[in-house]
Amino acid sequence: MKPSPLNLNGLVFKVDVDTYRGLKEGVPALLDLFRETGIRASFFTAMGPDRSGRAVFRVFTKKGFLKKMIRTRAASMYGFSTLLYGTLLPAPKIAASLPHIIRSIPEAGHEIGIHCWDHVKWQDKLDRMSLDQIRTEFNLARSAFREALNRDAASCAAPGWISNAKSLSIQDDAGLAYCSDMRGESPFFPVVDGRRFSTLQIPTTLPTMDEIMGRGAESDNEIADYYLSRLKPGRLHVMTVHAETEGIGKKEAFRRIIEGAQGKLPVLVLSEVARICLEQLENVPLCEVLYGLVPGRAGELSIQGKRIHGNTTA
């Protein structure tokens, strides 16, 4: 019998905090906005060194990276200090420097999980890292999370939507409630090279703001209209928000999105989506993980592929 589709309806704001400035300035601004608009969000925070300056080498390794930096005016969005961290300036430890802001996220009623330890290292070198190296990165982030919040993280989201079989196996070993590592259409259990992984994936379903900026949407109204026109009742929409973008440079556009969306769809957090999926477990599909390009973003990402039929190995 063909499984029924998941019965999901709502919008999730998934907030990725990639940098020291994003945590220091972007997160407090987002918390203020969320308080004013009365919504909850799902945060994922980088915990280790901010080595954002080393991302400049993507000019040589990721096609389209320089064009994206210019198109999104990254220097003004992220700040010149951020663009020098890990090269001409020392790399500040994100969580260790600002633990009070980490704690302010759940204190304000939001949920929080792990983004990573070293964002640049994960995003640029994951495929060249051994299983033990990836486990070390993941465990460093888990330890920093535990030190800041006195509890273990129940979820994570991979930097740059980059994952592989090794990282997925480490997440399975951690017993997480869910992960949000990929781009796709709806929640699923991932399958890589015939191997099924047991941690639920809730993918980002909408383009990010930096992917559409300068590509037909520039003003705050144009950006807000872009998103609001894509919100359809009866479907799950997951919008990844970056603390450095929506929390600093594009706060007004983001406010318009929130206020427009509140009349269209219920706003959920990812743990609520995971709970609904568990209640409909027989309808959660197994899907192949593909690796490919997404318009407006440099480099290949992990993408939800076709539904898998038949047996897989756990």
Side-chain angles (χ1 to χ4, degrees):
M1 181 182 297
K2 185 178 179 180
S4 302
L6 283 165
N7 182 19
L8 289 167
N9 178 50
L11 170 63
V12 175
F13 294 115
K14 167 185 170 276
V15 183
D16 285 355
V17 185
D18 299 349
T19 65
Y20 175 84
R21 187 184 186 211
L23 184 59
K24 183 179 181 180
E25 299 179 27
V27 167
L30 288 173
L31 293 179
D32 286 344
L33 177 58
F34 291 151
R35 184 180 64 253
E36 292 168 12
T37 52
I39 66 168
R40 296 174 65 215
S42 302
F43 285 75
F44 296 90
T45 308
M47 309 301 289
D50 180 355
R51 300 194 307 135
S52 298
R54 298 192 64 79
V56 70
F57 297 111
R58 293 176 194 158
V59 170
F60 307 105
T61 61
K62 292 183 183 287
K63 184 179 179 180
F65 177 75
L66 180 59
K67 185 182 293 185
K68 173 179 175 289
M69 294 287 284
I70 296 171
R71 172 174 51 79
T72 60
R73 300 170 186 165
S76 61
M77 196 87 69
Y78 285 79
F80 284 103
S81 294
T82 299
L83 300 182
L84 297 176
Y85 285 151
T87 54
L88 298 180
L89 292 177
K93 292 285 182 64
I94 297 173
S97 301
L98 303 164
H100 61 291
I101 299 181
I102 295 279
R103 291 191 290 268
S104 73
I105 295 171
E107 288 169 356
H110 305 282
E111 60 184 19
I112 182 170
I114 292 169
H115 196 28
C116 59
W117 174 249
D118 183 331
H119 194 284
V120 171
K121 184 176 181 180
W122 185 285
Q123 193 167 348
D124 292 349
K125 297 183 178 181
L126 183 70
D127 284 342
R128 304 196 298 274
M129 292 165 64
S130 68
L131 183 67
D132 285 343
Q133 287 172 324
I134 298 172
R135 182 178 287 111
T136 296
E137 287 286 306
F138 187 69
N139 286 340
L140 284 169
R142 293 183 76 193
S143 296
F145 184 99
R146 191 180 304 115
E147 184 173 345
L149 294 168
N150 200 30
R151 61 179 172 86
D152 287 325
S155 59
C156 74
W161 301 275
I162 294 174
S163 68
N164 59 24
K166 290 177 283 190
S167 68
L168 296 177
S169 68
I170 290 166
Q171 292 173 346
D172 277 3
D173 291 343
L176 302 174
Y178 68 86
C179 292
S180 187
D181 298 332
M182 304 181 189
R183 305 295 284 266
E185 297 296 327
S186 64
F188 67 102
F189 289 107
V191 178
V192 179
D193 295 331
R195 178 181 176 185
R196 173 193 167 167
F197 295 89
S198 60
T199 306
L200 178 71
Q201 283 286 338
I202 308 176
T204 294
T205 68
L206 293 168
T208 61
M209 198 175 285
D210 61 349
E211 290 166 6
I212 68 167
M213 287 168 57
R215 300 178 66 245
E218 187 61 41
S219 71
D220 292 341
N221 282 336
E222 289 171 338
I223 291 170
D225 288 345
Y226 175 93
Y227 284 102
L228 296 175
S229 68
R230 282 159 175 75
L231 301 182
K232 308 297 182 185
R235 296 185 58 185
L236 175 68
H237 304 272
V238 179
M239 177 181 177
T240 292
V241 172
H242 287 97
E244 300 80 7
T245 304
E246 285 86 341
I248 298 176
K250 286 294 181 180
K251 289 183 289 187
E252 184 56 35
F254 188 42
R255 178 188 293 275
R256 296 181 191 188
I257 294 168
I258 293 173
E259 292 175 346
Q262 285 180 305
K264 288 191 170 189
L265 290 167
V267 178
L268 309 173
V269 291
L270 287 173
S271 62
E272 292 175 315
V273 176
R275 175 183 54 78
I276 294 169
C277 289
L278 289 178
E279 294 170 353
Q280 305 176 49
L281 190 58
E282 68 279 5
N283 298 327
V284 179
L286 305 179
C287 292
E288 180 183 6
V289 177
L290 306 177
Y291 299 92
L293 301 175
V294 168
R297 188 156 296 278
E300 292 190 341
L301 317 181
S302 304
I303 300 171
Q304 180 180 8
K306 65 182 180 180
R307 181 188 293 263
I308 297 289
H309 299 280
N311 295 325
T312 61
T313 57

